[in-house]
Structure formats: C-alpha cells, structure tokens
Amino acid sequence: MGDILKLDWDNIDFLINCIADQIQHRRIKFDSIIALGRGGLIPGAALSYKLGIVDLQNLGISTREDNGKFIDTLVYQKPESINKKSKILVVDDINDSGRTFTAVKSILTSQYDISNENVYFASLITRNGTEFEEPNIISGNTVYSTSWLQFPWDK
C-alpha cells in the first residue's frame, strides 16, 4: 500500500471547522446533509451539529474494493426522502479520484431530479489531481501526497 498518513481526531476537528467556516463565509444555508457511507458518516454528523442541520441522511455507496482496486459503483443504501428543491450538502471523508462524487451527482440528478445548483459537495481532504473539480465543492484541505490516508475510524 505504500506510505500511510494517519490523521487523528484533532486533525478531523480542524478540517470540520475549516469546512464549516467556508460554508458560513459563503452564507449558504443547507436544508439537508447526505453523508456518504461509510467514510462520510462521521464528518456528516459533525457538520450537521456544527451547522445546525437536522436533516441528515445516508447514501451508502462504494466505488472501490478493500484492496484499493476500482470496481463498478455499488449503491447499497439510498436516502428515503429528498426534497428536490432543497439545498443539499453531500459529505465524504476524501475526494480522491473524484469517482464517488461523480457517481453521487449522477444519482441525485437522475434518480431524485435535483438540479446541480442545489447540490454542494464537501470532503475533509481533496487529493490534488482529482477529476471532480467544480465550483460547488468545499474541502477542508488539499493533499499533494500519494500517501494512503488513514482516518481515525478506519482502524
């Protein structure tokens, strides 16, 4: 797997605060957070408390196997109810290749009829070189390393 960069809970708290500060600075009011399972569940919950957003839902999605090889996108849990006029924040731990956010954007627009301008994406970390770069994305930090990132919940 190569080098591993381990993040601790203080790192996570800092990155959550960075994202919340950017959202508050832009004066965006979200109606819902969709946390991506599994990596986005903890950051999504933390942001829901930090921003006072009560509607927190899960979209269970996987775009890679445990050994790091890419596979077809697997959706194993969908939000029960999404108002297509709501402003939604999609949260994950890392925007690595961009493949997960691209798949989620497609799911929200095609299956829930949500317009692109009503969906924002937030990740604790964005990997430099990701294919998912849009004006409606917020990140706690950008990593220029190819090291594997290990979040505290990955143990």
Side-chain angles (χ1 to χ4, degrees):
M1 189 183 312
D3 294 336
I4 297 174
L5 177 61
K6 295 181 180 182
L7 288 90
D8 62 26
W9 290 107
D10 287 337
N11 299 134
I12 301 307
D13 190 46
F14 175 79
L15 295 168
I16 292 290
N17 286 328
C18 288
I19 292 170
D21 288 349
Q22 290 177 64
I23 290 169
Q24 291 165 344
H25 180 73
R26 293 183 190 188
R27 299 179 195 261
I28 306 168
K29 298 290 184 196
F30 292 104
D31 302 300
S32 301
I33 290 179
I34 296 177
L36 301 184
R38 296 180 306 179
L41 295 174
I42 292 171
L47 280 168
S48 75
Y49 280 106
K50 191 95 169 145
L51 300 170
I53 301 169
V54 177
D55 186 25
L56 173 63
Q57 300 188 49
N58 178 39
L59 174 59
I61 187 167
S62 178
T63 56
R64 65 172 71 223
E65 294 178 331
D66 287 338
N67 64 8
K69 291 184 180 178
F70 287 107
I71 59 171
D72 290 334
T73 300
L74 169 67
V75 176
Y76 55 88
Q77 186 175 11
K78 291 184 182 179
E80 300 234 349
S81 62
I82 299 176
N83 180 341
K84 69 180 186 178
K85 295 184 182 188
S86 293
K87 186 131 338 230
I88 296 169
L89 179 64
V90 176
V91 179
D92 204 1
D93 54 359
I94 185 167
N95 175 14
D96 199 347
S97 67
R99 187 173 173 166
T100 301
F101 278 163
T102 299
V104 170
K105 180 180 176 181
S106 176
I107 289 166
L108 293 177
T109 55
S110 66
Q111 296 180 23
Y112 293 93
D113 196 29
I114 298 172
S115 66
N116 287 331
E117 55 270 1
N118 283 342
V119 181
Y120 281 69
F121 296 85
S123 61
L124 297 177
I125 301 284
T126 294
R127 176 102 47 203
N128 182 50
T130 181
E131 294 177 14
F132 192 84
E133 293 182 8
E134 298 200 3
N136 58 348
I137 189 159
I138 301 163
S139 182
N141 200 357
T142 301
V143 172
Y144 294 87
S145 166
T146 57
S147 297
W148 185 264
L149 299 178
Q150 183 180 47
F151 295 90
W153 49 86
D154 288 336
K155 295 178 181 178

